[in-house]
Structures are given as structure tokens and as C-alpha cells.
């Protein structure tokens, strides 16, 4: 590759790393303002210089926050591209919106309204998304204000009762649509409150002065999986006098979210429920591995459980949860698997963040086993002593394994706003950002573009294939 192509590859991979890992929130080593400023620069830089590839990242596993920013930036600047490319961008935007949580899409629509973006393509995208909602009456109840704002801004037609409910709900004496009628009665009857979605029922519960514990007991069977995970602490606090149980379906929860839930439990409870939690994590890992299960050969995982893996107040234990999830995912992907934690020994369920980051020593422990693949999950802050990991990897690659029999990849769950990228252990080691462990197998394929071993043309072809499959 010439220098320009190599810089382009590095720029695009750097952006993808940021878009996968960063949510603009506070991290252990950096504040939220720094994260958002760094992300805003990266988005504008890649949008201006590599617009086609910027749009193509919607087909990658970038997180919902950054996918929303990409959609907004493409719609803000649609007039700057020719019509054929604009059509492809519109198809990518529409396809990605269908995969986003509805609350995230409504937030995007609210921003479009605030900025006065209301061209024909935007109206068509919003119209198609609203038409594709599985239950628009449910949306009208749960996201009433956001749906009303989007409809008013883009002139989308709705079923008669839904439109009436949004803009003149008191006029009908009764609604034929059950959920709309339940919502109407909830203004006057306590019993109707318990038949509504939990987030809607919360507001009516405050109006009717219904106790939180009573609300959780009555509405509990209707909670979604994510609401069950989120409400564990709330249920415990609300039921101090009378126990309130919010059951979590462990065998349907995605791998990383399940790891976050496990780490939120006290260590004695984790030990008591060891068999149940381990079985659930292994089942989630097998689902995440899919057809790749057992294809990675001999694998060693070097996993970071240092104190910085505790994350921040808004991303509590997230880096450690990714490492724990990767332990079980690597177990599913490998034919033979060994895990090296920085500090922890024994049952991985009992891991907790503690101590410094002696990555260099643990890399030596892992490389002694001469695996087919070494996977490092760490935020990259090697500090015991500083720089030892980079030197170990340099000597290994130059002197001990110049033929590259052992493939080494670094998965980093933490974005570094100062560097506009995730921190790297060594220039010769492929490094990619990761937010959810279940995306790791696909992201490892992207890692080769960050080390200069693949051309810019190959990167474009790789993204084109992803776009084609995503739209299909």
C-alpha cells in the first residue's frame, strides 16, 4: 500500500473502533464532555473525507448511539451527494432504523424536528418506518409525545383512532383499540393502570399514588427482558417490607447483558447460584458463536480484571462484563481453551476488579502455551510496569514467532477520547474496539485492516459485501 491508502485504512478502522465502543458517556479515565467532543470530530472528519464508507458503517455492529449520529449526519448533508448515492444512503438509513430500539429512533426524529430537517427523503424514511411498526397503537401509548411530534413534523398519516388519541384524546367516549381504551380508562381507574406497559404505568401510578412495590407485583408479568434486568435493584428496594420478585429469563438474555447482570449480584449469591449462572452464560455463548463454534483451534484469552475494569458510574463494570462474556465465548469458539486473568484465579463467576494491570507478565503466561490464537481483552492501560506488554509482543513477533504461527488480536472495550481511538498494546498487534462480546467474532475479521496487512481496496470490498448483505 502507498501512504495515502494506509492512512485511509487507519482512519476508517479508527472511526469504527470509536463507533463500536464509545457512547459519549464517562469512562474510568475520561469524562463525558471529552468523549463527546472527540466523537463529534471523528464523525465530521470521516463524513467529509470518506462519505461512502461512513454510510457503509451502518451495516457494521456500531452501537446505537453512533448509528443515530451517522443517520443524522447523512440526513443533514443529503443535498451534498448525487442522486444515485443518495438512494443507497436512504436504503441504508431505512434498514438501520428498523434495527434500532424505537426510543432511539424517536430521539433521532425529535432532533430532525428541532433542526428543521424535513426534505422529501426524510419524510419518506419516517413514513416507511412508522408504517413498518408492528403495533402503532402501542407506540402511541408508550411514546405518545415523540410519535405526535414526528407525525406533526413529517405529515405522516395514522389510523384514525391513533391520530385522535395523539391530538384529541378526550373526545371519544370509548376506543375500539384495546390498548388505547385501557390508556383512556387509566386516567380515571386504578385497575386499568396494571394493564399498561410498565413505563407508562409508572406515570399513572404516581398520579393515583400507587405504591412502587404494588405496581411491580401487578405489572411484573408484562415486563420486557431488559426491564427485568434493569429493575432488579428497584424491586429489592421497593420490597424491603414485603419481598418483590422480578424474575429474569437467563436463557433468553444476550451474552454481554447477562454478564453485566451476573456481576451486579453479590459474590455470595453468585457462588450460591453457580450452576444456574454458568449454564446460562455457556448457553448464551453458544448462541453467540453460532456456526463459528469450535473453529478457532487452540485459544488463550488474556482477560483484564484490573481496577479500571470497574468502569464508571454510568457504565458500571462494563469492561469487566465484556471480559467475563469473552471467557465463555472463547470457550465456545475454541477446540481447546485456556483463560489467564490478570489477578483472579478459580471460578470466573467470582471475578471482581482489583489491582494494577500487569499485562506483560500475563501475556508471557499465555504465549508459553503457543496457542493458535491469543485474544487479549483489556482497556490497554498497561502499567505494571508501563510498556512491558508492548515489549513482550515485539520480541515475540520479531524473535520467537516471526512466521506468525500464533495470531494475536486485542479487543478493547474502552474508547480513549484523547487518542481518538481505543488504546493499542503494540503497533504490530491488530486492535479493534468491542462493546458486546457477541460481536467479537465478526470484529476480529476487521482487525487485519488496522495493521497494514490488507489494502484499502480490500477494505472497500469488505464493506461493500457487508452493505449488500445488510440490505438484502
Amino acid at each position: 500500500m502507498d501512504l495515502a491508502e494506509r492512512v485511509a485504512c487507519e482512519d476508517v478502522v479508527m472511526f469504527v473502533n470509536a463507533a463500536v465502543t464509545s457512547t459519549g458517556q464517562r469512562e474510568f479515565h475520561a469524562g463525558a464532555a471529552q468523549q463527546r467532543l472527540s466523537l463529534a470530530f471523528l464523525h465530521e472528519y470521516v463524513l467529509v473525507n470518506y462519505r461512502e464508507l461512513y454510510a457503509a458503517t451502518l451495516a457494521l455492529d456500531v452501537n446505537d448511539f453512533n448509528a443515530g449520529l451517522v443517520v443524522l449526519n447523512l440526513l443533514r448533508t443529503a443535498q451534498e451527494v448525487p442522486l444515485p448515492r443518495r438512494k443507497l444512503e436512504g436504503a441504508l438509513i431505512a434498514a438501520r432504523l428498523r434495527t434500532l430500539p424505537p426510543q432511539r429512533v424517536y430521539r433521532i426524529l425529535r432532533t430532525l424536528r428541532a433542526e428543521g430537517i424535513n426534505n422529501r427523503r426524510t419524510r419518506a424514511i419516517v413514513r416507511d418506518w412508522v408504517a413498518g411498526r408492528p403495533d402503532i397503537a402501542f407506540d402511541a401509548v408508550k411514546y405518545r409525545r415523540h410519535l405526535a411530534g414526528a407525525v406533526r413534523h413529517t405529515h405522516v398519516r395514522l389510523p384514525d383512532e391513533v391520530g385522535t388519541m395523539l391530538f384529541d384524546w378526550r373526545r371519544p367516549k370509548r376506543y375500539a383499540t384495546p390498548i388505547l381504551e385501557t390508556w383512556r380508562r387509566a386516567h380515571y381507574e386504578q385497575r386499568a393502570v396494571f394493564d399498561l406497559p410498565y413505563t407508562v404505568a409508572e406515570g399513572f401510578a404516581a398520579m393515583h399514588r400507587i405504591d412502587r412495590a404494588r405496581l411491580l407485583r401487578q405489572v411484573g408479568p408484562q415486563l420486557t427482558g431488559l426491564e427485568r434486568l434493569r429493575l432488579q435493584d428497584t424491586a429489592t428496594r421497593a420490597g424491603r417490607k414485603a419481598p418483590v420478585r422480578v424474575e429474569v429469563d437467563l436463557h433468553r438474555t444476550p451474552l454481554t447483558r447477562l454478564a453485566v447482570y451476573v456481576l451486579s449480584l453479590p459474590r455470595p449469591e453468585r457462588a450460591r447460584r453457580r450452576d444456574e449462572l454458568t449454564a446460562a452464560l455457556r448457553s448464551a455463548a453458544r448462541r453467540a458463536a453460532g456456526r463459528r463454534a469450535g473453529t478457532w483451534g487452540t485459544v488463550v484469552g488474556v482477560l483484564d480484571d484490573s481496577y479500571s475494569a470497574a468502569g464508571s458510574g454510568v457504565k458500571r463494570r462494563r469492561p469487566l462484563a465484556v471480559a467475563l462474556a469473552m471467557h465463555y465465548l472463547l470457550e465456545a469458539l475454541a477446540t481447546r481453551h485456556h483463560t489467564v486473568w490478570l489477578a483472579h484465579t478459580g471460578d470466573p463467576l467470582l471475578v471482581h476488579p482489583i489491582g494494577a494491570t500487569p499485562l506483560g507478565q500475563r501475556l508471557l503466561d499465555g504465549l508459553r502455551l503457543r496457542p493458535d490464537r491469543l485474544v487479549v481483552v483489556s482497556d490497554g492501560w498497561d502499567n505494571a510496569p508501563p510498556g512491558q506488554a508492548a515489549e513482550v509482543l515485539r520480541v515475540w513477533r520479531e524473535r520467537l514467532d516471526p512466521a506468525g504461527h500464533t495470531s494475536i488480536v486485542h479487543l478493547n472495550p474502552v474508547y480513549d477520547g484523547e487518542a481518538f481511538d481505543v488504546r493499542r498494546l503494540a503497533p504490530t498487534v491488530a486492535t479493534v474496539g468491542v462493546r458486546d462480546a457477541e460481536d467479537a467474532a465478526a470484529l476480529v475479521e476487521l482487525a487485519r485492516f488496522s495493521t497494514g496487512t490488507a489494502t484499502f481496496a480490500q477494505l472497500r470490498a469488505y464493506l461493500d459485501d457487508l452493505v449488500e448483505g445488510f440490505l438484502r
Side-chain angles (χ1 to χ4, degrees):
M1 274 193 296
D2 61 27
L3 181 59
E5 284 196 344
R6 176 155 190 167
V7 168
C9 271
E10 291 174 351
D11 286 347
V12 174
V13 173
M14 176 174 65
F15 173 72
V16 172
N17 285 342
V20 167
T21 55
S22 180
T23 54
Q25 296 171 301
R26 181 160 57 92
E27 298 282 5
F28 186 86
H29 291 284
Q34 183 185 28
Q35 296 278 325
R36 287 180 179 270
L37 183 63
S38 177
L39 266 182
F41 169 79
L42 268 183
H43 274 270
E44 185 171 357
Y45 175 77
V46 179
L47 171 66
V48 171
N49 292 284
Y50 313 101
R51 186 182 180 101
E52 289 184 58
L53 301 182
Y54 182 74
T57 58
L58 289 174
L60 286 169
D61 293 315
V62 300
N63 63 51
D64 294 342
F65 174 76
N66 283 288
L69 289 179
V70 172
V71 168
L72 284 171
N73 286 331
L74 292 176
L75 291 176
R76 283 169 179 148
T77 58
Q79 69 281 1
E80 299 175 8
V81 297
L83 187 59
R85 196 192 305 171
R86 205 181 304 171
K87 287 183 178 179
L88 177 60
E89 286 183 4
L92 276 168
I93 290 170
R96 188 58 195 249
L97 289 181
R98 288 193 293 270
T99 70
L100 290 177
Q103 65 271 21
R104 180 72 66 179
V105 179
Y106 283 118
R107 196 173 302 165
I108 293 170
L109 301 185
R110 185 177 62 197
T111 304
L112 292 174
R113 183 186 179 198
E115 297 183 7
I117 300 170
N118 194 23
N119 53 58
R120 186 170 62 179
R121 184 177 69 156
T122 299
R123 291 196 298 273
I125 288 171
V126 174
R127 180 194 64 224
D128 292 345
W129 183 81
V130 171
R133 294 296 298 150
D135 188 352
I136 195 62
F138 178 88
D139 277 25
V141 168
K142 190 166 184 179
Y143 309 106
R144 179 171 177 253
R145 185 180 303 172
H146 302 305
L147 178 59
V151 167
R152 187 182 291 115
H153 181 57
T154 54
H155 314 296
V156 174
R157 285 186 173 276
L158 294 172
D160 290 342
E161 280 202 334
V162 175
T164 302
M165 179 266 189
L166 290 178
F167 301 108
D168 191 14
W169 71 269
R170 288 184 175 86
R171 179 162 54 84
K173 299 298 182 184
R174 182 178 181 83
Y175 288 100
T177 307
I179 193 169
L180 299 184
E181 174 60 16
T182 301
W183 179 83
R184 186 194 66 80
R185 288 192 297 106
H187 288 79
Y188 315 108
E189 301 176 18
Q190 280 196 16
R191 285 182 301 175
V193 173
F194 305 118
D195 295 325
L196 290 170
Y198 177 76
T199 51
V200 181
E202 274 187 312
F204 285 109
M207 184 176 75
H208 290 297
R209 298 183 180 179
I210 298 173
D211 181 71
R212 174 63 66 87
R214 181 187 170 197
L215 178 66
L216 285 169
R217 290 192 190 95
Q218 296 283 344
V219 183
Q222 304 174 51
L223 294 172
T224 66
L226 291 181
E227 286 173 340
R228 291 175 187 277
L229 284 175
R230 191 175 68 245
L231 289 170
Q232 293 301 301
D233 291 340
T234 303
T236 301
R237 291 195 302 270
R240 279 174 181 159
K241 294 182 180 178
V244 177
R245 288 190 61 81
V246 177
E247 297 293 342
V248 177
D249 187 352
L250 298 180
H251 294 282
R252 296 183 62 184
T253 305
L255 178 58
T256 304
R257 284 178 179 150
L258 182 57
V260 171
Y261 166 70
V262 168
L263 292 176
S264 72
L265 301 174
R267 295 178 78 197
E269 184 174 352
R270 288 186 239 169
R272 180 174 57 82
R273 299 172 59 186
R274 177 181 289 112
D275 293 342
E276 174 196 8
L277 297 176
T278 301
L281 284 163
R282 284 180 171 151
S283 175
R286 286 193 296 270
R287 292 197 306 271
R291 290 179 297 176
R292 295 184 177 93
T295 61
W296 278 21
T298 304
V299 178
V300 170
V302 177
L303 308 181
D304 187 346
D305 59 345
S306 63
Y307 184 63
S308 61
S312 66
V314 291
K315 300 177 77 172
R316 195 166 296 166
R317 293 180 290 271
R318 182 79 192 196
L320 185 61
V322 173
L324 178 63
M326 281 301 303
H327 166 80
Y328 291 98
L329 181 61
L330 293 177
E331 184 181 70
L333 290 169
T335 53
R336 194 172 57 180
H337 164 255
H338 182 73
T339 293
V340 180
W341 293 92
L342 300 191
H344 183 72
T345 56
D347 187 354
L349 279 184
L350 302 182
V351 68
H352 65 287
I354 187 171
T357 313
L359 269 174
Q361 182 59 49
R362 296 300 173 264
L363 285 171
L364 285 173
D365 295 339
L367 289 169
R368 281 195 188 102
L369 301 174
R370 291 192 171 270
D372 299 321
R373 195 185 299 253
L374 181 86
V375 179
V376 184
V377 182
S378 170
D379 60 9
W381 288 84
D382 174 37
N383 55 22
Q388 186 184 51
E391 189 63 14
V392 167
L393 292 169
R394 183 189 67 79
V395 172
W396 173 263
R397 182 59 71 217
E398 292 180 3
R399 302 291 182 86
L400 302 177
D401 187 25
H405 295 300
T406 296
S407 168
I408 303 175
V409 64
H410 173 207
L411 301 177
N412 193 328
V414 179
Y415 176 65
D416 183 1
E418 287 188 1
F420 299 99
D421 200 354
V422 293
R423 288 179 70 90
R424 299 174 181 271
L425 294 177
T428 56
V429 172
T431 302
V432 290
V434 60
R435 175 167 169 79
D436 295 317
E438 45 268 47
D439 300 330
L443 289 170
V444 164
E445 297 177 14
L446 190 68
R448 60 194 175 101
F449 297 107
S450 67
T451 58
T453 57
T455 66
F456 187 58
Q458 289 175 315
L459 174 60
R460 291 181 69 100
Y462 174 76
L463 290 175
D464 287 344
D465 287 343
L466 283 179
V467 167
E468 185 180 346
F470 183 65
L471 294 180
R472 188 171 59 242

